């Protein structure tokens, strides 16, 4: 997507088997900076510290992390060390494991001397595939939005989204935002309610930034506002991303998603989940019991960073000294609250049968 008129992906290499460039998401929305990953450890830390984040981009970064690891050591021990370091970086997004397994399988079949090239090729393919998947999700989601827009007789289409499942969370397009960008391009008068998404503020910091750069009308709201808007007919549909979806359609996504799904159900608002197939965990079917929920440092809850009037970035404390805080990063929305899953192969009910109908052999 475009930043100040220039097209960017979120991850790229400048040279054959070169260092890896990423947009440093910890600096947005106030600074646009590129970070360079030189080593396996750089890639692992970029994922852990959320320089890169979002399930699909975590997967792509892990794949490039394997490539950087092969530059350091390409024998069996190096392969195992790279995999083991990267798999530990974040627990919830299953794209991480998916991408690492894909790359490890490819590298296992080639001689160590060929592994650097093979790893870079595999990572590039994962990145390109992510872009194609998201574009396809966009087209299928656009059909849904067109149908809802047709009932509104030219009035604006109000979509609510939570967190950032935008192009910054992927390699390009985004998952939940792909249909929004396509609706905007198609001339549908779309407007997005952007949940701020405490504690990391991915909505206020990232979704608002990217929608703004693309000219999509949007309004940032406090996380607790969605229910009120739905009660007053001000939300036509909710669309969110996912970090892991079970084979039966339970959806793990950023903390707070479940509450939006409950409010949507109570108010008859369709609740869609944009779901790339690498985010489906075909090994599990009970999201509440089987999806590991990341608990992050309490500092993210007790403090907040922002820009001062004289353009400095400052972090301030929000809670009283000594108050304990808890920081659960994700929650699970049961399949029964999800109106439909929007995948690259089409739209399906959030059921085991629905998922199987589109992905009969897993992936
Ligand atoms: O903790 P994050 O920022 O990596 O969380 C992931 C997300 O951005 C969201 O949960 C998103 O909706 C799913 S990723 C497309």
């Amino acid at each position: 997507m475009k930043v100040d008129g220039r097209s960017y992906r979120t991850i790229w290499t400048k040279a054959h088997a070169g260092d890896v460039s990423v947009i440093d998401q910890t600096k947005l929305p106030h600074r646009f900076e590129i970070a360079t990953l030189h080593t396996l450890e750089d890639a692992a830390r970029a994922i852990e510290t959320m320089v890169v984040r979002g399930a699909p981009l975590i997967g792509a970064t892990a794949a490039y992390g394997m490539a950087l690891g092969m530059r350091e050591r390409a024998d069996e021990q190096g392969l195992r060390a790279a995999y083991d370091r990267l798999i530990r970086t974040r627990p919830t997004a299953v794209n991480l494991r998916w991408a690492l397994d894909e790359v490890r399988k490819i590298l296992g079949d080639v001689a160590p001397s060929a592994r650097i090239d093979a790893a870079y090729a595999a990572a590039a393919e994962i990145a390109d595939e992510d872009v194609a998947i998201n574009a396809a999700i966009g087209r299928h989601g656009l059909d849904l939005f067109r149908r809802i827009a047709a009932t509104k007789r030219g009035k604006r289409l109000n979509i609510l989204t939570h967190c950032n499942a935008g192009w910054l969370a992927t390699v390009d397009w985004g998952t939940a935002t792909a249909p929004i960008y396509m609706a905007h391009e198609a001339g549908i008068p779309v407007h997005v309610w952007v949940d701020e998404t405490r504690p990391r503020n991915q909505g206020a910091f990232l979704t608002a930034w990217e929608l703004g750069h693309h000219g999509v009308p949007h309004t940032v709201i406090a996380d607790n506002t969605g229910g009120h808007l739905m009660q007053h007919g001000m939300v036509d549909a909710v669309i969110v991303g996912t970090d892991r979806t079970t084979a039966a359609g339970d959806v793990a996504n950023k903390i707070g998603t479940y509450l939006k799904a409950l409010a949507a159900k109570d108010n008859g608002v369709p609740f869609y989940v944009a779901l790339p197939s690498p985010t489906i965990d075909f090994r599990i079917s009970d999201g509440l019991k089987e999806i590991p929920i990341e608990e992050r440092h309490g500092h993210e809850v007790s403090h907040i960073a922002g820009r001062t009037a004289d353009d400095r970035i400052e972090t301030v404390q929000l809670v009283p000294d000594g108050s304990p805080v808890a920081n659960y990063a994700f929650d699970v929305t049961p399949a029964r609250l999800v109106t439909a899953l929007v995948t690259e192969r089409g739209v399906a009910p959030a059921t085991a049968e629905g998922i199987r109908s589109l992905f009969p052999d897993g992936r």
Side-chain angles (χ1 to χ4, degrees), residues 157 159-161 180 190-194 207 211 216-220:
L157 178 70
I159 305 295
L160 184 141
T161 193
I180 292 170
V190 66
H191 163 263
V192 185
W193 296 111
V194 178
T207 305
L211 292 174
V216 179
H218 62 280
T219 307
V220 179

Side-chain angles (χ1 to χ4, degrees), residues 134-299:
N134 299 332
I137 287 173
R139 290 190 290 274
H140 295 300
L142 174 59
D143 290 344
L144 293 173
F145 286 179
R146 269 192 208 287
R147 263 178 259 152
I148 302 172
T151 67
K152 299 219 60 184
R153 290 197 236 97
K155 283 203 283 209
R156 78 180 193 182
L157 178 70
N158 287 301
I159 305 295
L160 184 141
T161 193
H162 190 69
C163 194
N164 174 260
W167 71 270
L168 291 168
T170 66
V171 178
D172 208 350
W173 279 112
T175 57
T177 56
I180 292 170
Y181 288 126
M182 289 189 189
H184 178 70
E185 301 289 329
I188 295 171
V190 66
H191 163 263
V192 185
W193 296 111
V194 178
D195 283 351
E196 63 175 345
T197 321
R198 282 285 292 149
R200 293 280 305 204
N201 301 299
Q202 290 95 328
F205 290 1
L206 305 177
T207 305
W209 180 84
E210 53 168 274
L211 292 174
H213 272 270
H214 211 72
V216 179
H218 62 280
T219 307
V220 179
I221 50 175
D223 282 326
N224 296 326
T225 310
H228 168 78
L229 296 177
M230 291 184 214
Q231 285 175 320
H232 290 272
M234 295 163 78
V235 180
D236 297 302
V238 179
I239 188 162
V240 298
T242 168
D243 297 271
R244 188 184 301 222
T245 290
T246 70
D250 293 341
V251 172
N253 194 51
K254 185 52 57 186
I255 192 79
T257 303
Y258 170 52
L259 290 176
K260 293 300 167 307
L262 283 173
K265 186 77 167 181
D266 194 44
N267 290 283
V269 173
F271 185 91
Y272 299 117
V273 175
L275 171 64
S277 59
T279 312
I280 305 171
D281 190 341
F282 288 99
R283 304 165 308 169
I284 60 172
S285 49
D286 186 333
L288 280 179
K289 290 205 186 112
E290 296 177 284
I291 298 180
I293 299 297
E294 178 178 17
E295 289 180 51
R296 295 184 61 85
H297 199 284
H299 195 267

Side-chain angles (χ1 to χ4, degrees), residues 21-35:
S21 301
V22 295
I23 296 171
D24 183 347
Q25 301 193 25
T26 62
K27 300 287 191 331
L28 290 170
H30 305 301
R31 312 267 189 269
F32 181 76
E33 288 180 15
I34 307 301

